[in-house]
């Protein structure tokens, strides 16, 4: 049960669908939701497990990924503030085990809703239904983008986009390891290191231990677009 | 409107969720659904278009795919008898344009439901809601499998699996072109041809124009599993 008025106000603004809900639905939401905190590095969900709760993230970020036999990983998407994991929702709704891993990348605070409520509210509550279907569409197109990326773009283009997406201004250090990039993009650390070294010798970036600096975002953008 | 008793009986057996529906819902379904037929090769949906209808396939098969800048394709999934395209459903529900292409691979007969009904019935009709959410879970895990395939498996393993999935008994001709395999798996025809030639020289398959024969499914299976 969530009672603290500061917390409920923050949740109403993070999850705007609640604002469109009738008062009794909002009461039910706070009555059955509970606030939990996970430390960074903890697994939120393991592949093949049954999903007992739907988590709506209040603070922090979780990464949803697939793990290959060879130990490689690829990130399917991240779940951040105001978002929720539709994989969990679709597992709850169709009774299938969770088809990926989810791990807290930072400390994560979330509202968790027990599975029976998730399905029950679908029938009773239009804004909840719309919220869940909206998530579905978003995640499905996220995962389709991953397919598109992996199939149609070369790894050097994808790494260039990745570095630009971090959005650090030129000159500022980007704190990311080669292994993190590899796990996000579904390749090996060796491939990432080789491409980053190519970028460095073209003076697009500068490498240092556990970090790198963008030197020339304009040319990096051209590399991302294969120009 | 669908009135023919033979047709309605066939639809009830192809879409079992209808059997669990109250009589007025079934009547509404047949009153607002119409039966359409598309020729093979026609596009069902174009990327970026708005979705006006949800199609439930009665006969035939449609292929949902992404098209890259380089003209390459990759199949996300197929929609066959008794199935429906959840991408369409999620587009209708969230008002986003269709993020891929869908083409009729064979002649396709389908029941089409206008978009406003698709959303309306969600609120009123539990079996419809469960049917749509079931589709979501299935398609999301289909697309996640594509990611997994593409990222974690070598192309020769994937082609071996692909040939085995067609399920033709050893010795019988499989009528598929190298280009079709390439478009399904997101690679170029040249790569497919090279790998098929390797399989042929290992006496796993025999190639002929527009067709091939499996000679040794057992060893092909080992190749698929990377043994």
């Amino acid at each position: 049960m969530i009672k603290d008025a500061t917390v409920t106000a923050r949740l109403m603004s993070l999850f705007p669908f609640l604002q469109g809900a009738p008062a009794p639905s909002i009461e039910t939401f706070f009555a059955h939701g509970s606030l939990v905190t996970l430390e960074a590095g903890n697994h939120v969900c393991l592949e093949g497990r049954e999903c007992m709760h739907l988590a709506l993230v209040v603070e922090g970020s979780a990464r949803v990924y697939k793990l290959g036999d060879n130990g490689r990983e690829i990130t399917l998407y991240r779940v951040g503030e105001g978002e929720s994991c539709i994989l969990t929702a679709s597992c709850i709704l169709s009774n299938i085990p969770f088809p990926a891993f989810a791990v807290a990348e930072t400390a994560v605070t979330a509202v968790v809703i027990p599975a029976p409520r998730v399905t029950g509210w679908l029938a009773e509550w239009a804004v909840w239904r719309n919220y869940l279907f909206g998530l579905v569409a978003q995640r499905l197109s996220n995962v389709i983008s991953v397919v598109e990326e992996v199939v149609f773009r070369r790894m050097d283009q994808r790494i260039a986009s990745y570095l630009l997406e971090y959005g650090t201004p030129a000159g500022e250090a980007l704190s990311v390891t080669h292994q993190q990039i590899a796990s996000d993009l579904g390749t090996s650390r060796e491939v990432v290191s080789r491409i980053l070294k190519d970028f460095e010798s073209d003076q697009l970036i500068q490498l240092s231990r556990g970090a790198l600096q963008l030197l020339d975002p304009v040319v990096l953008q051209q590399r991302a677009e294969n120009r």
Side-chain angles (χ1 to χ4, degrees), chain A residues 8-48:
Chain A
T8 54
R10 175 151 165 69
L11 292 177
M12 299 282 284
S13 82
L14 266 177
F15 301 98
F17 76 89
L18 285 172
Q19 296 166 24
S25 305
I26 303 180
E27 272 169 43
T28 312
F29 182 85
F30 289 122
H32 291 95
S34 30
L35 219 51
V36 299
T37 304
L38 270 172
E39 283 172 50
N42 275 13
H43 271 87
V44 184
C45 214
L46 297 176
E47 183 155 345

Side-chain angles (χ1 to χ4, degrees), chain A residues 11 29 35 37-38 46 57 63 65 76 121 126 135 148 159 169 198 206 209:
Chain A
L11 292 177
F29 182 85
L35 219 51
T37 304
L38 270 172
L46 297 176
V57 175
R63 184 169 75 95
Y65 66 95
L76 297 174
W121 294 346
L135 281 177
E148 203 173 5
I159 291 180
D198 287 349
Q206 179 166 359
R209 179 176 287 273

Side-chain angles (χ1 to χ4, degrees), chain A residues 62-82:
Chain A
R63 184 169 75 95
V64 176
Y65 66 95
K66 285 298 275 190
L67 179 65
D69 289 338
N70 52 9
R72 268 203 224 165
E73 299 178 0
I74 183 161
T75 300
L76 297 174
Y77 53 84
R78 289 183 159 78
V79 183
E81 282 184 24

Side-chain angles (χ1 to χ4, degrees), chain A residues 105-151:
Chain A
E105 286 196 299
T106 62
V108 168
T109 307
V111 181
V112 297
I113 310 286
R117 296 290 151 189
V118 173
T119 39
W121 294 346
L122 267 185
E124 300 156 16
W125 193 7
V127 287
W128 178 249
R129 204 153 51 225
N130 296 342
Y131 173 69
L132 284 192
F133 266 118
L135 281 177
V136 170
Q138 188 191 327
R139 292 317 178 192
L140 199 55
S141 68
N142 286 352
V143 178
I144 290 175
S145 307
V146 174
V147 173
E148 203 173 5
E149 278 276 304
V150 169
V151 175

Side-chain angles (χ1 to χ4, degrees), chain A residues 149 153-154 156-168 170 199 202-205 214-227:
Chain A
E149 278 276 304
R153 295 180 82 202
R154 289 195 320 266
D156 58 332
Q157 294 178 265
R158 296 174 58 206
I159 291 180
S161 291
Y162 184 93
L163 297 179
L164 289 165
E165 254 174 47
Y166 264 83
T168 313
F199 286 171
D202 291 345
Q203 303 191 333
L204 305 179
I205 62 170
L214 304 194
L215 299 180
D216 194 339
V218 175
V219 175
L220 212 51
Q221 183 63 45
Q222 294 170 353
R223 291 289 175 93
E225 293 166 8
N226 198 25
R227 278 190 286 155

